[in-house]
Every structure is written in structure tokens, then in C-alpha cells.
Amino acid sequence: MKKPLGEPKTEVAREIVSKSFVHPLLRKQTIKDTGPMIAPTNDTEQLPINWDGWPDGYIELDLSHAEFSATKQLMYHWAYTVSGGYKSGLEDPNADRWEDGKQSTRKCCGVILCTNKDCTIVVRPNTKETAFKHQLQKKCVCGARLYHEKCEIRATLWKWAGGIHYVHPGFHSHQRLTHILHITQAEESRFIEIVTANKDIGPLGLIVGVPTKNGPGESVADISDVYLNRDRVQKDRLKICGRSSQTAQALFQAFTEFSKKFPNFVIHSEFMNEVVISVQTDFMRSQLVKLDALDEAVNGTVNDAAHGWWKERQWVLIISSTYCPVLLCWVPGVMSFSNGQSTQHFKYHFIAVFQSIIREAKEKDIPVSHSMFAGVRH
């Protein structure tokens, strides 16, 4: 529901809502063609509620709480950070006027591009400072150097008793991100419709297209590029169908595909009354056998079963750790999923540990001896 606009009571708010406001850094820049945008207008009453997640231009909206929720709280595809408004302590989310409501700002983080002019990749900046710095230290997939293209757009929201007052002050000075993470309410509704009508179709079938007598039908990938990712389709599908819809056949098929995709990662598995799946990387295995004993009391392995890792309380994560003299810390040698804590469960885990020790000793051309297993205790 649209609300009549009031007069902001602070100078900053007056500047933000001014229809003629243009950020100084944008006045001298040429805006790149970024595809369809929300058309800027001076008539707030004509602005669309059909929110697409790409606000661009001069936009001012008054939304009810229901409308705000329906747009997923004005979901953004832009990378952005959120901060509070003025710290006067007078802002009230239950205020009778939006001007007195609780204020927050959304600052666009811009984009990360590379120095190769022919490269079309646009990288999403990480909103965490440390991770963002690490991003810039890497190279683009094309091999060129990455750089940050800043954006000075700061949108403002006021939360008050009647809803949300939103002001977007101008155009973004950069192109759109090529990789998006979110979907709109309309896209989510369409995805739910397709999955609900085809609960027996797996994620790949949903991406290729629902099977029909005339060939593949509608694909969830047509809804949004987000659904080109099989794992994302699987995740959102499970939210609708529930995990109970996954048959034993599908589970074993997924396990087989995973083992093929990551060979030698699953080193031992049991699927009887006791279910134990042991995993290990080459580095983990290399730490189980050392050429010489360490001086301090850190030889052998430390074994433990950790609770709270899995949804079921009786399930545990069994870990056999060994000390790494290079990293100067204990590292896992073998990790096992276990659906219980019986003697048989631990037996299967330690079979994986012993087999790993034997394999590593042979690869290092070290004779296998009983002393190698003496330090493996539960």
C-alpha cells in the first residue's frame, strides 16, 4: 500500500529523498548498459511492486509490512552491506510516521572485474573485509589481474508502524553481477509449483526438463540461472518434498556418484545394521606414518567420537587424529560417520585406520610392524 510522503526531519534524509539528488561521483561517469532496469520516475504512485532485485535509478517506495515480506524484504542481487541509521536513540520501528522510524542503509559493494577487456566475468565482492582482500589477491579465471570497481549507492529504509519507506538515490556505476545467489518471490512460487507437480523427478530431471510424451518439458533452469546449479536445485527441492522422498535407491546412487567424483576419498564403508563411512585425503593418510618418532609425547593417535555434528543425536563423528610436526598441531588422520557407538561401529572405523597405516607404510617403503598400531587406542 502506498503512503503519502512526509517531509524528512533531517538534512541527510532531505538529500536522500530529493528527486534531483545525484551522487557527485556519478555525475561525471558514463553508465554501462546493464540490461533492463526499473525505470526512474518522479511519480512514486506508478512504481511497480513487482520487485526484481535490481533496483537502479531514482526510486522511492512506501510498502506495507506484507508487501515488504512478499518482496523478501526487498531482496537484492547487488552485493551490499547493511548498517544502522542515526544513533540518536529516537528512531522507533513502531513510529506513527516513517520519518521517525528505525533507519538502516544498504551500501552497494560494487563489482570485481579484471584487466582483460575481452573477459566478461563479473565477480561478486565478498562482504567480509578479510575475505574481500583475499579475493583481490587472486587472479581471474582468464589469468588477468582483478580489481575492485566501487559504487557509492546507499539505499535507505525506514521501518515504521505502517510499513517500510524505501529510497534508492541513483544509478549504479557498474554492470550487473553475472552470478546471482537469490530468487524473487515469483520465481520461488514457480519453482514450488513445478516441484510439487513432479515430486518423483530428481534435480537433474528438473534442470533438463520435466519428462513428457513429447520430450523434456518445462525446466526449472528457465525460472532463474540460480537453478542451473544441481546442488541448489536439490537443496530447494528437499525443502519442498522433504528428505523422506529420497528413496534408498537414490541415496545409494548419490553415494556412488560422489565416490566416482572424488576417488579414494571414501576409504571404507559399511551399510549393514551398523553404518560407518570413513573418509580421508592423501595428506591425512601421510600423517599416520612418520619416518622417525617425535621427541615429545605426541606419537600415536588420539581418538574421539564427537556428538552434535548430525541431525540424529545417536550419530557421531569418529576422528583419529595425529600430531603434525610441520603445522605444529593435531590433524585428523581418518574421519568416520557412524550411526551409533557400539563396539562394532568402532571396529569398522579402526579397520579403516589400520588399512591406511599399512598403505602409507608400503608407499613410503617402510616395513609394517606391530609398533605402528600400538599407539592407536580408543
Side-chain angles (χ1 to χ4, degrees):
M1 177 179 178
K2 307 291 191 308
K3 303 290 183 182
L5 302 181
E7 178 64 20
K9 63 179 183 180
T10 66
E11 290 299 326
V12 174
R14 290 193 186 97
E15 185 180 47
I16 291 175
V17 301
S18 172
K19 299 297 188 298
S20 61
F21 173 73
V22 180
H23 196 283
L25 293 180
L26 297 181
R27 288 176 182 151
K28 297 181 180 180
Q29 294 187 12
T30 301
I31 307 301
K32 299 178 181 179
D33 182 12
T34 58
M37 302 177 183
I38 298 177
T41 175
N42 289 332
D43 187 355
T44 303
E45 293 299 319
Q46 295 180 3
L47 283 173
I49 293 298
N50 186 19
W51 187 258
D52 69 353
W54 295 109
D56 207 20
Y58 309 96
I59 302 170
E60 187 168 1
L61 291 173
D62 275 284
L63 306 178
S64 67
H65 289 293
E67 289 172 328
F68 186 57
S69 177
T71 60
K72 293 190 172 182
Q73 300 184 352
L74 293 178
M75 177 274 296
Y76 267 29
H77 289 310
W78 306 112
Y80 69 98
T81 56
V82 179
S83 60
Y86 301 106
K87 305 298 182 182
S88 65
L90 301 178
E91 299 85 12
D92 181 6
N94 298 313
D96 293 332
R97 302 193 317 158
W98 68 261
E99 301 96 315
D100 302 322
K102 186 173 180 61
Q103 181 181 337
S104 63
T105 60
R106 295 180 179 181
K107 182 183 184 304
C108 181
C109 296
V111 294
I112 295 178
L113 303 174
C114 76
T115 54
N116 180 4
K117 295 182 179 180
D118 296 326
C119 182
T120 59
I121 296 176
V122 182
V123 180
R124 173 183 294 273
N126 197 299
T127 56
K128 303 296 183 182
E129 184 177 358
T130 301
F132 171 69
K133 290 180 179 179
H134 289 164
Q135 275 185 301
L136 293 180
Q137 292 173 358
K138 298 179 181 179
K139 289 188 176 181
C140 181
V141 293
C142 71
R145 181 177 59 84
L146 295 174
Y147 68 92
H148 182 215
E149 185 170 314
K150 297 181 180 180
C151 180
E152 298 299 327
I153 289 296
R154 292 175 181 264
T156 309
L157 297 88
W158 285 266
K159 182 179 181 181
W160 62 294
I164 301 295
H165 184 77
Y166 172 79
V167 175
H168 189 278
F171 290 95
H172 291 261
S173 58
H174 53 85
Q175 56 193 301
R176 291 183 177 184
L177 297 161
T178 53
H179 177 66
I180 60 176
L181 303 177
H182 310 293
I183 55 174
T184 65
Q185 186 71 33
E187 291 168 342
E188 179 180 323
S189 298
R190 186 58 193 142
F191 181 83
I192 292 174
E193 289 177 6
I194 295 177
V195 173
T196 302
N198 302 276
K199 290 187 176 181
D200 295 332
I201 306 300
L204 286 179
L206 292 171
I207 295 174
V208 173
V210 177
T212 68
K213 62 180 181 180
N214 297 320
E218 186 173 8
S219 165
V220 294
D222 295 332
I223 299 174
S224 169
D225 288 347
V226 167
Y227 290 127
L228 288 170
N229 185 297
R230 180 185 182 277
D231 292 335
R232 176 61 182 269
V233 174
Q234 173 75 338
K235 177 184 176 182
D236 287 2
R237 176 181 174 274
L238 288 176
K239 291 179 182 178
I240 301 168
C241 300
R243 295 188 177 272
S244 59
S245 65
Q246 189 175 42
T247 64
Q249 180 180 355
L251 176 62
F252 284 115
Q253 180 63 30
F255 181 77
T256 301
E257 291 177 1
F258 178 85
S259 298
K260 290 180 179 179
K261 186 176 181 180
F262 303 99
N264 301 321
F265 181 63
V266 178
I267 59 174
H268 189 82
S269 58
E270 293 289 339
F271 290 96
M272 300 299 288
N273 292 331
E274 296 81 15
V275 178
V276 180
I277 303 173
S278 301
V279 298
Q280 179 189 68
T281 64
D282 291 340
F283 171 77
M284 292 164 63
R285 188 182 70 250
S286 70
Q287 300 303 303
L288 291 174
V289 178
K290 298 178 176 63
L291 297 177
D292 299 300
L294 302 176
D295 294 334
E296 300 180 23
V298 290
N299 294 287
T301 62
V302 174
N303 307 285
D304 194 13
H307 298 77
W309 283 87
W310 318 108
K311 185 176 181 180
E312 299 294 334
R313 295 185 61 183
Q314 68 270 25
W315 295 355
V316 293
L317 179 66
I318 306 175
I319 305 177
S320 291
S321 301
T322 182
Y323 189 79
C324 177
V326 177
L327 298 178
L328 301 179
C329 65
W330 292 84
V331 297
V334 176
M335 297 191 300
S336 296
F337 161 81
S338 175
N339 70 340
Q341 303 177 67
S342 69
T343 302
Q344 200 70 10
H345 285 95
F346 285 103
K347 170 187 172 182
Y348 291 134
H349 169 79
F350 286 114
I351 286 176
V353 175
F354 292 159
Q355 289 176 341
S356 298
I357 292 175
I358 294 172
R359 177 183 173 185
E360 184 63 20
K362 289 182 177 180
E363 290 189 4
K364 290 181 176 178
D365 200 23
I366 299 175
V368 178
S369 63
H370 292 292
S371 61
M372 292 181 176
F373 310 101
V376 181
R377 298 188 181 93
H378 175 57

